Amino acid sequence: MSQFDKLLQRIRLLDKNMRFDELRKVLEAYGYTMSGPGSGSSHKTFRKPGCPPITIPVHEPIKRIYVIMVKEAIESEENNEENT
């Protein structure tokens, strides 16, 4: 199992020790781009055309609700791939 597959598995299991960079890596692999204010904000927004934006704070560890949001986005992407 590759490192990326292990990372996806941790997200699916809603690991409570996820780091921001790990979620960023997965979202960017699924085509999301990260944006945020130049300075003064601790939140980054991930956008992809046709998908709702996902805003995640750059804090460690990431709260479970943000891991759930990423999990739902991944599952939605996988369902879209299966249907096409």
Side-chain angles (χ1 to χ4, degrees):
M1 183 180 278
S2 72
Q3 290 283 88
F4 189 76
D5 290 334
K6 289 179 183 177
L7 190 54
L8 289 176
Q9 184 64 24
R10 288 180 56 209
I11 290 172
R12 287 186 180 105
L13 294 174
L14 302 176
D15 188 346
K16 60 183 175 182
N17 294 315
M18 296 297 298
R19 296 184 342 225
F20 176 81
D21 287 335
E22 293 171 328
L23 295 181
R24 178 187 54 79
K25 182 178 182 178
V26 169
L27 287 170
E28 288 177 346
Y30 278 90
Y32 286 80
T33 56
M34 182 176 72
S35 64
S39 64
S41 178
S42 62
H43 289 70
K44 302 293 180 187
T45 301
F46 294 87
R47 298 186 194 306
K48 181 176 179 178
C51 298
I54 300 171
T55 302
I56 302 174
V58 186
H59 297 292
E60 306 290 332
I62 300 294
K63 290 184 178 180
R64 181 181 170 110
I65 187 65
Y66 300 109
V67 179
I68 291 170
M69 291 168 60
V70 172
K71 177 184 176 206
E72 289 173 352
I74 290 169
E75 289 172 347
S76 174
E77 291 289 324
E78 290 172 351
N79 288 338
N80 288 340
E81 288 177 10
E82 290 174 2
N83 292 334
T84 57

